[in-house]
Amino acid sequence: MKYYSLGIVLCCLLVSINTSFAQKNKPFKAPSKEALLSTSYQGDTSVPAAYLKKECYTQISYYKDLQEPDGFKADITYRNRIKIYKNKGIKYTKDSIYISISDDLNIDKLSRLTITTYNLQDDKVVKTILKEKDCIIDKRHKDYHIIKYAAQDVYVGSIVDIQYSVRTPNLVVLPTWYYQSYIPIQFSFYEFMYPEFIDYKVTANGLVELKKEENSTLINSDFNGGDMNNQYTEINKRFSASNVPAFKTEPFIGSSLNYIGFLDFNIAGYQIPGGFQQQLSYSWEEVGQRLLQGASFGRHLREVKFLEPVIDSLTKGLETPKEKALAILGHLQKKVIWNKKWQMYSEKPLRMVYDKGVGNISDVNLLLVAALKKAGLKAYPIMLSTTGNRFVNPLKPSISSFNYVIAGVELKDQKFHFLDANTPFSTLDLLPYYCLSSQGLRLGEYSNWVDLPNKKFVKNYVSKIKLTKDGLATGTLQYVGKDYGAYELRNMWKKAGNQLRFFKQLERDHQGLIIQSGSIKNMEGNHQSVALDLLIRIKNNYKINAQTASFTPTYLKVLDEAFFTSETRVCPIQFPVLEKQSFVMSIEIPQGYQVKSLPQSEIIRLPNKAAQYSYSASVVGENIQIVYSYQLKQRYFPSSIYPELKAFYEAILRKQKESIIFKKT
């Protein structure tokens, strides 16, 4: 069996454009006066705009054209109708269209771009038309052009129709189509027509239920080979939904792309009966091998002889693999700076990256992997989809699933560990927050999925406070940050630039705290805990009246404000990191007073102890001892537990407001 590219094989088949598809290129009928007079979407006055219709039609047909290569191409027609209810809804009538280009004329073609604005004037429906020639075309990019459009004469009350078609030869990955938006959609529809011998995988994402229909039609053709008898079957898939709610970005959602509604189209392969066949989808193992063999990725790992003297110098005298790994990581974190470009492929040879001291994500961490290998360590690239990107679909192997790469290394403990040289304060198994997805794909002779580390945000506080009869609250605070607690403090230190501004930032983060002086330890060692020893004063928490006084001890809060305020929740909850915080405080009872009442000791828990807040208060001699702690033991929660989660954090906020009450003796 011979294998050929899709364009070569399918050019044998001649199919005329389906006349029914041509009908779908027609514009909508003009809207009614009633629609233009409407002032809110189905009675909801909060909506700034709405799609009355959001439609897309895709048909794959064969084209024979003297001016460009023959072959199958996709005709994609978009038809949208938008009603404007408020001024801030006008932005939905402005957008951009990306058109791929290449040197061999195998390019996307835009046609029938028409944007029509309807308004009601003197009881008559009038329209303003923006055509393709009136749009702005950005040709600065090598591989694509950008057509930017903005509807004209758009006001509150306007209805805007946006329609255009794109013909593309790229059948491998068709454009994603969103059947949900950040404004509501009254009617959403997608129709997909393609030959049965092309195996397309259509994946629906999101929390909105779609109605799905499928049928087939026998199409006559001029194909004269195989077992098709001059005919083939066209598959017709239709997806629709009515009254689709606007997608709302909720707190702790990770990426909205994980939950907003869209359709993905990917070609798995093709097989013409009695003719040629080709498998185009890959296994995860094949994805790994393609990356490792790629000229702009894995091959760079074999061009690093220049690193030998550097590695010899860095690792001289070091005994353990862990020491060597940390030394190499620390060197590259200082030597090479990430240029903030998220390219998945290396732009230049690693020697040039090292010499110039700057590179993209792939440049920097492939250099790290190469350096670890040169040191004799078992190191591998690890592919990730960051938390701001979409979840990786385990059933859809694809290089495009990833947008980040880190380094993985096996140490003597027989465990797998992770490193990232793109950020200055990461260390062994302590990755940037955006890397904390659940798994990564290890690229090696046999690629496989590995669990990523689950380090915690740890902070421990010990405080001694003296309350005077004059209304002053002063004392000491020992503040230790570990793992992500230390990572956060180091980032804060870098932004501050010096100790004074660093302390001022701590004061802004903890309202009521005034730092009079202090010392800092271990700010330079990324793998160590950061320790602060501070002399402090507390304002606003201590109040004296005629016969009583009150002090609110939680001047260091777990929460500054409510995490969750809405009554309901649609999306699951995704916290960035696990947490563990503890507070131990000794408060000297002011002279001339005795304790009248203490906050009640209490333990607040989520089901299955997924999170817990404990609080205890007691009198010990001339002092009051306050101990409270917070633990988050689970990062992901289904939306069904939202009421319990909301109540849990509301209870913490309530507890933080409770005061110690003193009375004069």
Side-chain angles (χ1 to χ4, degrees), residues 287-408:
V287 167
Q289 293 310 307
R290 284 174 63 86
L291 282 166
L292 284 177
Q293 294 165 12
S296 298
F297 195 88
R299 289 187 189 176
H300 285 302
L301 297 174
R302 299 188 285 276
E303 301 170 357
V304 289
K305 189 175 179 61
F306 72 94
L307 283 173
E308 288 180 359
V310 176
I311 300 305
D312 290 343
S313 175
L314 285 172
T315 59
K316 186 178 180 180
L318 301 181
E319 297 181 358
T320 68
K322 180 179 178 180
E323 289 175 325
K324 293 178 181 179
L326 288 174
I328 292 167
L329 173 67
H331 171 71
L332 290 179
Q333 284 174 316
K334 295 176 182 178
K335 171 66 177 173
V336 185
I337 299 172
W338 175 29
N339 60 15
K340 302 303 178 183
K341 292 184 179 180
W342 288 75
Q343 288 98 326
M344 279 307 304
Y345 296 98
S346 191
E347 292 184 311
K348 52 183 78 76
L350 294 185
R351 176 157 198 163
M352 188 181 296
V353 174
Y354 185 82
D355 289 344
K356 291 193 172 183
V358 64
N360 66 26
I361 289 167
S362 205
D363 294 329
V364 177
N365 276 337
L366 284 180
L367 185 59
L368 174 60
V369 173
L372 294 169
K373 283 178 174 290
K374 275 295 176 186
L377 304 179
K378 293 182 179 179
Y380 310 88
I382 310 291
M383 308 305 298
L384 303 180
S385 175
T386 58
T387 55
N389 199 40
R390 284 152 54 172
F391 289 139
V392 175
N393 186 341
L395 302 177
K396 194 178 74 174
S398 171
I399 291 175
S400 63
S401 298
F402 306 112
N403 68 331
Y404 205 87
V405 59
I406 59 173

Side-chain angles (χ1 to χ4, degrees), residues 469-486:
K469 61 181 180 180
D470 299 322
L472 292 177
T474 60
T476 62
L477 172 63
Q478 293 176 324
Y479 179 170
V480 178
K482 181 181 177 183
D483 293 342
Y484 283 103

Side-chain angles (χ1 to χ4, degrees), residues 251-254 387 433 436 454 559 563-564 569 572-579 606 610-611 630 632-637 641 645-646 648-649:
F252 300 104
I253 196 176
T387 55
Y433 289 122
L436 298 183
N454 221 356
L559 302 180
F563 281 166
F564 308 107
R569 174 90 180 195
I573 298 92
Q574 177 184 334
F575 287 102
V577 68
L578 301 177
E579 289 193 52
L606 279 175
Y630 166 73
L632 178 66
K633 301 178 181 179
Q634 182 176 317
R635 288 180 59 200
Y636 298 94
F637 294 87
I641 204 173
L645 203 63
K646 183 174 184 287
F648 172 75
Y649 286 106

Side-chain angles (χ1 to χ4, degrees), residues 366-656:
L366 284 180
L367 185 59
L368 174 60
V369 173
L372 294 169
K373 283 178 174 290
K374 275 295 176 186
L377 304 179
K378 293 182 179 179
Y380 310 88
I382 310 291
M383 308 305 298
L384 303 180
S385 175
T386 58
T387 55
N389 199 40
R390 284 152 54 172
F391 289 139
V392 175
N393 186 341
L395 302 177
K396 194 178 74 174
S398 171
I399 291 175
S400 63
S401 298
F402 306 112
N403 68 331
Y404 205 87
V405 59
I406 59 173
V409 61
E410 289 185 25
L411 300 182
K412 275 191 173 181
D413 57 6
Q414 303 301 310
K415 293 181 180 179
F416 211 70
H417 299 272
F418 304 89
L419 301 160
D420 176 41
N422 281 311
T423 51
F425 303 122
S426 67
T427 186
L428 193 71
D429 292 332
L430 195 73
L431 304 173
Y433 289 122
Y434 52 75
C435 286
L436 298 183
S437 48
S438 58
Q439 286 189 314
L441 184 67
R442 181 191 68 90
L443 306 186
E445 184 178 356
Y446 301 101
S447 298
N448 65 295
W449 289 97
V450 291
D451 292 332
L452 295 177
N454 221 356
K455 293 280 190 179
K456 296 179 180 178
F457 180 100
V458 181
K459 284 187 179 179
N460 299 313
Y461 302 87
V462 177
S463 182
K464 292 183 179 180
I465 301 298
K466 181 178 181 179
L467 303 178
T468 70
K469 61 181 180 180
D470 299 322
L472 292 177
T474 60
T476 62
L477 172 63
Q478 293 176 324
Y479 179 170
V480 178
K482 181 181 177 183
D483 293 342
Y484 283 103
Y487 182 88
E488 180 190 76
L489 289 172
R490 290 189 175 99
N491 273 302
M492 189 187 300
W493 174 267
K494 182 183 178 183
K495 292 177 182 177
N498 60 46
Q499 182 169 294
L500 178 61
R501 286 199 290 265
F502 176 73
F503 285 164
K504 289 297 181 183
Q505 184 59 53
L506 285 176
E507 291 176 350
R508 285 191 290 271
D509 291 344
H510 302 285
Q511 291 296 318
L513 174 67
I514 297 175
I515 300 173
Q516 297 175 316
S517 64
S519 62
I520 304 171
K521 294 180 181 179
N522 303 330
M523 190 63 81
E524 297 300 322
N526 287 354
H527 60 286
Q528 296 179 300
S529 299
V530 175
L532 311 181
D533 199 343
L534 309 174
L535 289 177
I536 63 170
R537 182 165 64 87
I538 304 168
K539 63 177 182 179
N540 302 327
N541 286 36
Y542 185 33
K543 297 178 182 178
I544 295 180
N545 299 313
Q547 297 297 320
T548 62
S550 66
F551 179 68
T552 306
T554 50
Y555 69 93
L556 298 172
K557 298 179 176 65
V558 169
L559 302 180
D560 288 323
E561 58 185 9
F563 281 166
F564 308 107
T565 56
S566 63
E567 293 303 316
T568 59
R569 174 90 180 195
V570 175
C571 297
I573 298 92
Q574 177 184 334
F575 287 102
V577 68
L578 301 177
E579 289 193 52
K580 184 177 181 180
Q581 299 188 50
S582 66
F583 307 78
V584 177
M585 186 184 307
S586 177
I587 304 165
E588 186 177 319
I589 299 172
Q591 290 184 355
Y593 288 85
Q594 65 183 29
V595 176
K596 181 180 180 182
S597 65
L598 291 174
Q600 185 177 358
S601 297
E602 188 175 358
I603 297 177
I604 308 164
R605 290 193 183 105
L606 279 175
N608 301 318
K609 298 182 180 180
Q612 176 176 298
Y613 180 85
S614 64
Y615 187 106
S616 69
S618 59
V619 177
V620 181
E622 299 298 318
N623 296 285
I624 300 167
Q625 186 161 355
I626 303 291
V627 179
Y628 57 103
S629 65
Y630 166 73
Q631 291 189 67
L632 178 66
K633 301 178 181 179
Q634 182 176 317
R635 288 180 59 200
Y636 298 94
F637 294 87
S639 57
S640 59
I641 204 173
Y642 177 71
E644 291 91 337
L645 203 63
K646 183 174 184 287
F648 172 75
Y649 286 106
E650 286 175 346
I652 293 176
L653 285 171
R654 169 185 54 79
K655 199 68 187 174
Q656 289 180 161

